[in-house]
Each structure stands twice: as C-alpha cells, then as structure tokens.
Amino acid sequence: MESSKETGSAAAASASLGEAREQRRRIILAAARLFCRLGYNRTTVRALAAEVGMQSGNLFYHFKNKDDVLEAVMREGVLLATEAADRALAAAGSTQERLRGLFRAHIQTLLGPDHEALQVMLYEWRRLPQEQHQRLVALRDAYEERWQVVLDAAAKEGLCPPDTRLFRRYLLGALNWSSEWFRASGEIEPSDLADRFLRFALEGRTWTSP
Amino acid sequence: MESSKETGSAAAASASLGEAREQRRRIILAAARLFCRLGYNRTTVRALAAEVGMQSGNLFYHFKNKDDVLEAVMREGVLLATEAADRALAAAGSTQERLRGLFRAHIQTLLGPDHEALQVMLYEWRRLPQEQHQRLVALRDAYEERWQVVLDAAAKEGLCPPDTRLFRRYLLGALNWSSEWFRASGEIEPSDLADRFLRFALEGRTWTSP
DNA sequence: GTCTATATCTGGATAGAC
DNA sequence: GTCTATCCAGATATAGAC
C-alpha cells in the first residue's frame, strides 16, 4: 500500500528513509530486463521477485498488481527518452544539429545501455489496460512533441517535407523498428546507425515548401 | 451448432473430403481477428472456439496446441504479403514502379481488408517459441528478398542509397510501424499513405553510387 | 468431427506471523 | 518490509461418448 513509510520508531524493520523507494526502483529495473527479454506475459511475478532477491508475495507490498509494474517500467522508458532528447537539444544549435541530436538520443535510448525500458514501452504498448494506457499517453505525446517542433522548423527550412506529422511517424517508425533486428555487439554501433538513418531521411534533397 | 452437415454416409460424421481443412481455415481466420484485436495471450481457446461456433476441446482436433494456431496465422500473414508483392511486381515496369508496387502491396496487406494476419505476424513475432520461429523465418526472408532485389536495382540507378540492406530495414520499419497508429476509416487511405511514404523515401534526391 | 466433462497446472494475489 | 503458506481463478489440454 504505497506507504506507511519510515515507521521510524519501534518494532519490525522499516530501515532508512528511502528503503521502500529503493526497493521499488530495483523492482522496476529488474522488470524492465525481464519484460524485455521474455515479454510481459511470460514473466511471472515469481521470476521477477527472484530477480531482486525476494519472495513473490512481497512484490505486492510495493505494487498494487503486475500491470502496475508494467506501467512503471513504461513510464521509466518514456522518461528516459524524453530526458535524453532534452539533453541533446540543449547541446545543439542549428535545426540540422537538433535533428541529429534527436536521432542519436532516440537510438541510444532504444539500443544502448539501459535500453530495456523503452523497448518494453514500445512493444508492450498494445497490451496495456485502458486505464494505464491513458496515464501514459500524455507522456508519450510530450516526447513526440519534441520531434514535432524540430521537424516543423526543418520543414520551414526546406530540410524535410511539409507534412511533418506524417513524416514524424514515418521517421519514428523506422527508428523504433530497429529494436526488432538490431543486435548489440553487432557490426554497427547505435550512434552510427542514427547517423545513417539521418542520411536516409534528409541527405541530398530539397523539399518544396507547402 | 453450425454443422455436422451432410453426415451423408454411415455412422458418425467424417463428411466430404475437405471438411476438416475448411474448418481449420475458418479457425485460422477467426484467430487472426482475435489475436489482432486482443493479442495472443488474452485470446482464450474458449473464445476462439466460440468465434467459429464450436466447443473449446474440439480445437485440438484441428491443431496440436494454441501455439500451433499462432504459427498458422503468421504463415498466412507472410504468405498474403508475399503474394501481394508478387502480383504488384508482375504488373510493374520500371524500377520506380516496382518500388511503388511494393510499398502499396505492403501497406495494403498491413492496413487494408484482411490485415489481421500480417499484423499478428509482426507484433507477436517475439513471442513465438523457438521451434516455430525457425520455421517462419525462411518465409519472412523470402518476402524481404523481394524488397532486396528491387532496392539493389534502385541503388544502381541512383534512386536510393547504396547500403540497401540497411535502407530496406529502415523502409520496412517505417511501413510496419504504421500499424501502431493507423486507423482505418481515418482521414487517409492506405494507398495514399503508401504513396506519401514513397515520396518521403525517394522524392527529389539523387544518391551517389557506391 | 464434435460434444461433454474434467484433469491438471500455472500464476496472480492475499493473509497473517514476525 | 519481508517471509511462509495458500487460496483461487482461469487457462490449456485430454478422455471418451456419440
């Protein structure tokens, strides 16, 4: 039940202040790994509990139910992506640089270290119950809005086609799908992949304005 | 109860030759619909049986188990895509036309009428047990080979970038992802979508040869 | 080939002690 | 906050009659 934290005083346990929070976080990270490798349905709560070194029943002290864990993993995924995008944008100047930053940040979050949460976000999306779906959709839209803004600027400069909403979906589709075939430690690095995809999208062309 | 029709001959049933085959096919089609709408795990064999008007136990006369049904649906999906591609290629002349044909065929199979099987193929892919995975991978590769051939020709003509294997994945990713956001009866038709995506991919550019 | 009935198992979730 | 023990629903798959 989420709290009653820092019972500080007497009896049982309830150690240092953020103890429950830390455990909750460890569960999320372990779940990201397992959901990514096995999928949500094939990951049992017993397996998840074992991964963080506890008994299965104990998970339900930290989360209401299994779907709740999935939602937390997905939230982690989309937040990681958003933060990476914002860092990239802060470091970029021209529109072209900003676009390159978004490509690299997205691919890095999806395929680099700690890629699990975003991958879960993407390929368990359809399986999420309605209620939690709605809580996450705002976060996802906020992330995609970063893309929208940059693409609108790019279209004004003739760097990309004028129908930027569709183009955004086209690009994010190409990027997201890479998680289906990309194998880390393969012949190509995530950052290389981002640059080559950017070239596919933009290089050597001029778009007429709307 | 839907059948036991033409019990013709003697005892129990065992009607005309293709009777079982037809039922099997009806199960596959119903499964495609349900798996697409609810996902594989949330579709029970009871629901599937009800959908074709039989009792759940009876499914296992036609299929070894539930995974077996999934494999059949996926095979249907990739075969539909391959046939559509071949029809499009047969009707096309120039490389550019062939490419357009592939775009349209793919989008049509994925988003048009009877889109369910290919969608199941794509988004349940990770969940398929190893054994059946391997039986399907050859079919999928055969489909993608259609793309590879045309893209290689396109690269020779300077229509697309020289690293065609990566470009193929980029394009198919963009196309496949459309199933995540496209809503039939929305503002745009599948064939329009294909054309606009083709424009994103090729229009107004010249690629230098390798 | 389909039915009814049911075996069998798995997995999410809860209760209550500590 | 974690443990042990267990409930219970729901699902796949089987058995055997018709």
Side-chain angles (χ1 to χ4, degrees), chain A residues 81-180:
Chain A
T82 305
E83 290 162 11
D86 285 342
R87 278 196 305 274
L89 290 175
S94 69
T95 300
Q96 185 127 210
E97 278 172 22
R98 288 155 65 82
L99 210 40
R100 181 163 181 263
L102 286 180
F103 269 66
R104 287 191 161 223
H106 192 89
I107 288 290
Q108 196 65 32
T109 312
L110 188 62
L111 305 177
D114 302 314
H115 60 274
E116 291 89 354
L118 183 55
Q119 288 206 16
V120 171
M121 163 81 182
L122 293 180
Y123 69 74
E124 301 287 356
W125 183 255
R126 293 203 192 201
R127 283 158 187 78
L128 204 67
Q130 193 62 18
E131 183 194 353
Q132 295 155 353
H133 189 96
Q134 293 180 331
R135 281 202 292 267
L136 283 177
V137 83
L139 291 180
R140 188 200 58 179
D141 289 350
Y143 174 70
E144 295 193 349
E145 185 59 21
R146 265 77 169 173
W147 281 79
Q148 192 60 49
V149 167
V150 176
L151 288 176
D152 285 340
K156 276 220 183 74
E157 301 177 23
L159 288 171
C160 83
D163 40 352
T164 53
R165 297 190 71 78
L166 190 64
F167 192 56
R168 187 195 79 224
R169 286 174 158 154
Y170 166 87
L171 291 181
L172 282 173
L175 295 181
N176 287 338
W177 200 257
S178 67
S179 61
E180 292 289 335

Side-chain angles (χ1 to χ4, degrees), chain A residues 36 38-42 103 119 122-129 140 161-163 166-177 179-181 187-188 193 196-208, chain B residues 36 38-42 103 119 122-129 140 161-163 166-177 179-181 187-188 193 196-208:
Chain A
C36 187
L38 308 172
Y40 176 68
N41 291 283
R42 291 166 54 180
F103 269 66
Q119 288 206 16
L122 293 180
Y123 69 74
E124 301 287 356
W125 183 255
R126 293 203 192 201
R127 283 158 187 78
L128 204 67
R140 188 200 58 179
D163 40 352
L166 190 64
F167 192 56
R168 187 195 79 224
R169 286 174 158 154
Y170 166 87
L171 291 181
L172 282 173
L175 295 181
N176 287 338
W177 200 257
S179 61
E180 292 289 335
W181 53 265
E187 66 269 27
I188 181 176
L193 180 62
R196 292 171 73 183
F197 272 12
L198 181 64
R199 191 169 133 77
F200 290 160
L202 299 186
E203 195 83 352
R205 74 163 74 192
T206 321
W207 294 95
T208 54
Chain B
C36 188
L38 309 173
Y40 176 70
N41 289 282
R42 290 166 54 180
F103 269 67
Q119 288 205 17
L122 292 180
Y123 68 75
E124 300 286 356
W125 182 255
R126 295 201 190 202
R127 282 160 187 76
L128 204 66
R140 188 201 56 180
D163 40 351
L166 191 64
F167 192 56
R168 187 195 77 224
R169 286 173 159 154
Y170 167 88
L171 291 180
L172 282 172
L175 295 180
N176 286 338
W177 200 258
S179 61
E180 293 289 335
W181 52 264
E187 67 269 28
I188 181 176
L193 179 62
R196 291 171 73 183
F197 272 12
L198 182 64
R199 190 168 135 77
F200 290 159
L202 300 187
E203 195 84 352
R205 74 163 72 192
T206 321
W207 295 95
T208 55

